[in-house]
Amino acid sequence: MTSFRRMNKVLLTDKIKTVGWIISAYIVVILLSLLPDMFNGSFFSKQWSAILMQHAMSWSWLATLLAFIFLTWISEKVYTSNRYRLIPVSDTKLYLSNILSSLIAFILVSLVELIFVLIFYLFNMKQVSTILSSSFSGVESRVWLLLLALVLVSLAGILFWWAMISLIHLLTTAISRALPANHQTLYKIIIYIVLIYIAIWMFNKLQAWISQLAYLQYMMYSSSVYTGPMWTALIMFVIAVVISAVNIWLLNKEVETKQ
């Protein structure tokens, strides 16, 4: 039986190659976007670090989006691929190592984006400290709590959406198996549309519920600026765990490899 560590290493290898291309393209695009500033000389002024971060952040959303899309695509292929499903490993280990390897690869892209922020901070410590002290006057000691909460919300949100996407994919595969062999593509498209609509509807309901919970604990503790995001992260993480349990069951009972 293949260990969880070895399985994670196998899956991570392919995903590292993918995010490596994304990171390379991200850096190249930043350098190309800097050319006008280099030619007019503004990049060689004292504000070079701010200009660099501005260009890096302006493209970071695209790098993040591409990383999420490609990692999702690679992850979903694992569940129906002979290459991975025929490895002597339990479905639970396969699912968890697939999620973990995707998360590690995604974090690598985020760390590269963070490097540009750190460069700006290192060359503008006094200005950044002044801005933070004026923006968070009276709560400077708790700024790190807010940042930690936002990071946790981001990670929980990623895990939630990956679990939800896997649920839609695995349910579609399982339902289509019970339908006639003819017109399978049409059946899957219809099932995808219905399940995506249901998922969006459920997410909107979940958002409303989380907002009400955050407001309630604000009324009780008057500290939602810190605890609200953490509650949101905890709820989304718990829901992601529940959905993941369903996904593992579907993977074990209903979904087979492509023949």
Side-chain angles (χ1 to χ4, degrees):
M1 182 69 71
T2 305
S3 66
F4 177 81
R5 182 178 179 180
R6 288 189 62 187
M7 192 66 213
N8 186 64
K9 184 178 180 180
V10 170
L11 293 172
L12 187 58
T13 300
D14 291 339
K15 295 172 183 178
I16 290 294
K17 292 179 181 177
T18 300
V19 298
W21 282 105
I22 294 174
I23 291 171
S24 299
Y26 173 57
I27 294 175
V28 169
V29 169
I30 292 173
L31 293 177
L32 290 176
S33 65
L34 283 171
L35 289 178
D37 295 291
M38 291 181 179
F39 283 118
N40 62 31
S42 59
F43 182 71
F44 301 102
S45 65
K46 293 182 179 180
Q47 301 299 320
W48 70 269
S49 58
I51 295 173
L52 177 62
M53 189 184 73
Q54 179 183 355
H55 285 279
M57 293 300 100
S58 65
W59 291 104
S60 63
W61 68 272
L62 182 58
T64 301
L65 179 62
L66 289 176
F68 182 85
I69 292 174
F70 278 99
L71 288 174
T72 300
W73 179 63
I74 295 173
S75 296
E76 294 309 307
K77 285 178 60 179
V78 169
Y79 301 132
T80 54
S81 171
N82 287 327
R83 177 185 177 187
Y84 299 108
R85 290 298 301 277
L86 297 182
I87 295 175
V89 64
S90 67
D91 292 320
T92 300
K93 286 183 180 179
L94 176 65
Y95 183 87
L96 293 179
S97 58
N98 195 24
I99 289 290
L100 178 59
S101 58
S102 295
L103 187 61
I104 293 173
F106 187 85
I107 289 175
L108 286 177
V109 178
S110 301
L111 289 177
V112 172
E113 296 170 352
L114 183 61
I115 288 174
F116 293 101
V117 178
L118 291 177
I119 291 174
F120 173 76
Y121 174 74
L122 290 175
F123 287 90
N124 300 273
M125 286 186 181
K126 292 183 178 180
Q127 296 90 326
V128 173
S129 299
T130 302
I131 294 173
L132 290 177
S133 61
S134 60
S135 301
F136 299 93
S137 179
V139 292
E140 295 89 344
S141 60
R142 295 187 179 183
V143 171
W144 70 271
L145 286 175
L146 180 58
L147 294 176
L148 175 62
L150 293 177
V151 170
L152 292 176
V153 169
S154 299
L155 292 177
I158 292 170
L159 294 175
F160 169 82
W161 279 113
W162 272 337
M164 183 63 71
I165 291 170
S166 294
L167 178 63
I168 294 173
H169 175 212
L170 296 175
L171 274 177
T172 301
T173 303
I175 294 173
S176 63
R177 285 183 58 204
L179 299 175
N182 296 330
H183 309 297
Q184 277 287 311
T185 301
L186 177 61
Y187 294 147
K188 287 184 177 181
I189 292 175
I190 295 174
I191 296 170
Y192 270 125
I193 293 174
V194 173
L195 291 178
I196 290 173
Y197 175 81
I198 294 174
I200 293 174
W201 178 82
M202 291 179 62
F203 180 72
N204 290 332
K205 294 294 183 181
L206 176 64
Q207 275 190 316
W209 180 61
I210 291 177
S211 297
Q212 291 177 356
L213 181 63
Y215 180 75
L216 176 62
Q217 60 91 32
Y218 170 74
M219 295 296 292
M220 295 175 63
Y221 306 108
S222 298
S223 58
S224 63
V225 67
Y226 308 112
T227 58
M230 290 186 178
W231 272 108
T232 300
L234 178 61
I235 293 170
M236 295 188 74
F237 178 75
V238 171
I239 294 174
V241 170
V242 173
I243 296 175
S244 295
V246 176
N247 290 339
I248 293 172
W249 181 84
L250 287 170
L251 200 60
N252 182 259
K253 302 295 183 181
E254 302 294 336
V255 177
E256 298 177 356
T257 59
K258 294 179 181 178
Q259 301 300 324

